[in-house]
């Protein structure tokens, strides 16, 4: 079931997702909105430990299905320990990545198949769906170039080449066709302030994010 207060940001590596979501979160919080920011993989201790295993560049032997299962396991724990309790308290939840990432990266780019990956995620999520998803749209090569320019540490997935990142972008297009009828696509190949403004406006004007009066 869709959870109206559950907001997700998706996009390729280097799309600016984290910068944009943290800036929007900060602005909403300053305006008195009862909102938490969280991320996947991670968000809570157990899932951050799983994240460290998945992204460790030393883990070159990791099988694609093991990778998909670990993302789903981290997601399960994050959901029950942080996301659902926050929504039960009436809070908005802004989450950097969710199940669409697994469909695009593991389902499509790793070649497991989106349906296969959806199955293990259905097990993890028991019907919970975000109310609104935003996709930050940027060509894979622009994203990759930003990562190489701005980050001193590249994790196991960042280290994949342009072919992989192009498949991720293509994967997202397939995800949006199949599952994304309510997803807002925002052009992220622009200065961060413009993207932040558009995301903020979308959340306030179309998703109804506001402070309780
Ligand atoms: P981040 O850089 O957005 O923190 O995400 C870490 C990496 O994990 C990024 O390359 C995308 C990848 N990822 C997946 O492959 N599948 C998933 O389900 C999630 C949540 C992230």
């Amino acid at each position: 079931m869709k959870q109206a207060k559950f907001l997700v940001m998706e996009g390729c590596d280097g799309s600016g997702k984290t910068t944009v979501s943290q800036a929007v979160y900060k602005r909403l919080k300053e305006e008195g909105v009862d909102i938490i920011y969280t991320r996947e993989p991670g968000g809570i201790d157990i899932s951050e430990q799983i994240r460290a295993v998945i992204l460790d560049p030393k883990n070159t032997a990791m099988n694609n299905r093991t990778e998909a299962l670990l993302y789903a396991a981290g997601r399960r724990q994050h959901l029950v320990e942080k996301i659902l309790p926050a929504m039960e308290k009436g809070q908005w939840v802004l989450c950097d990545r969710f199940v669409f990432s697994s469909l695009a990266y593991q389902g499509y780019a790793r070649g497991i198949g989106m349906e296969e990956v959806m199955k293990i995620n259905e097990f993890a999520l028991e019907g919970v769906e975000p109310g609104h998803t935003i996709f930050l749209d940027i060509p894979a090569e622009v994203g990759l170039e930003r990562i190489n320019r701005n980050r001193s540490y590249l994790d196991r997935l960042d280290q994949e080449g342009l072919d992989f990142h192009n498949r991720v972008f293509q994967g997202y297009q397939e995800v949006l066709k199949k599952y994304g009828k309510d997803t807002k696509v925002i052009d992220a190949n622009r200065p961060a302030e413009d993207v932040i403004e558009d995301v903020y406006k979308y959340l306030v004007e179309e998703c109804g994010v506001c402070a309780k009066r």
Side-chain angles (χ1 to χ4, degrees):
M1 219 186 66
K2 279 196 190 235
Q3 308 288 323
K5 290 194 156 183
F6 184 15
L7 315 165
V8 170
M9 295 282 291
E10 288 282 0
C12 293
D13 291 280
S15 59
K17 243 176 345 69
T18 306
T19 308
V20 170
S21 34
Q22 286 185 348
V24 170
Y25 162 74
K26 193 164 166 272
R27 182 161 165 192
L28 291 168
K29 192 96 193 134
E30 280 164 7
E31 287 170 1
V33 177
D34 194 5
I35 186 168
I36 63 162
Y37 166 80
T38 191
R39 69 164 183 181
E40 291 209 350
I44 38 126
D45 189 40
I46 293 175
S47 306
E48 289 290 335
Q49 292 179 52
I50 295 174
R51 175 188 177 99
V53 172
I54 301 173
L55 298 179
D56 187 340
K58 286 200 302 293
N59 286 336
T60 50
M62 190 178 294
N63 176 265
N64 290 341
R65 283 179 181 244
T66 308
E67 183 181 282
L69 287 163
L70 286 174
Y71 278 114
R75 182 161 298 131
R76 170 70 187 172
Q77 190 63 29
H78 184 212
L79 182 76
V80 298
E81 202 182 325
K82 188 167 184 183
I83 297 175
L84 292 177
M87 287 188 304
E88 272 156 28
K89 284 193 269 171
Q91 293 180 302
W92 292 89
V93 175
L94 179 58
C95 187
D96 189 335
R97 296 195 183 279
F98 201 60
V99 69
F100 283 4
S101 288
S102 284
L103 300 178
Y105 283 77
Q106 284 66 53
Y108 193 92
R110 294 289 197 212
I112 298 172
M114 296 205 304
E115 287 75 15
E116 290 287 274
V117 172
M118 196 48 146
K119 274 191 222 157
I120 57 169
N121 278 280
E122 279 167 359
F123 176 75
L125 299 177
E126 291 187 296
V128 177
E129 283 177 54
H132 304 275
T133 300
I134 294 172
F135 176 68
L136 292 190
D137 195 12
I138 196 167
E141 64 270 22
V142 179
L144 202 54
E145 203 266 319
R146 280 188 187 172
I147 292 177
N148 288 327
R149 188 161 18 100
N150 298 328
R151 290 197 197 157
S152 51
Y153 168 80
L154 295 183
D155 66 38
R156 197 170 58 83
L157 273 87
D158 293 333
Q159 288 180 2
E160 293 282 350
L162 182 59
D163 276 1
F164 177 77
H165 290 279
N166 274 327
R167 285 202 301 283
V168 172
F169 181 81
Q170 194 50 47
Y172 269 120
Q173 306 309 308
E174 296 300 318
V175 173
L176 295 184
K177 257 192 247 157
K178 203 161 169 170
Y179 304 100
K181 71 175 172 37
D182 299 325
T183 299
K184 174 78 175 173
V185 178
I186 290 184
D187 177 8
N189 199 3
R190 296 178 295 156
E193 314 78 72
D194 299 351
V195 183
I196 291 165
E197 189 58 28
D198 284 2
V199 170
Y200 172 84
K201 272 202 190 133
Y202 174 69
L203 292 179
V204 171
E205 290 171 12
E206 293 182 52
C207 307
V209 178
C210 63
K212 269 197 217 128
R213 272 176 272 272

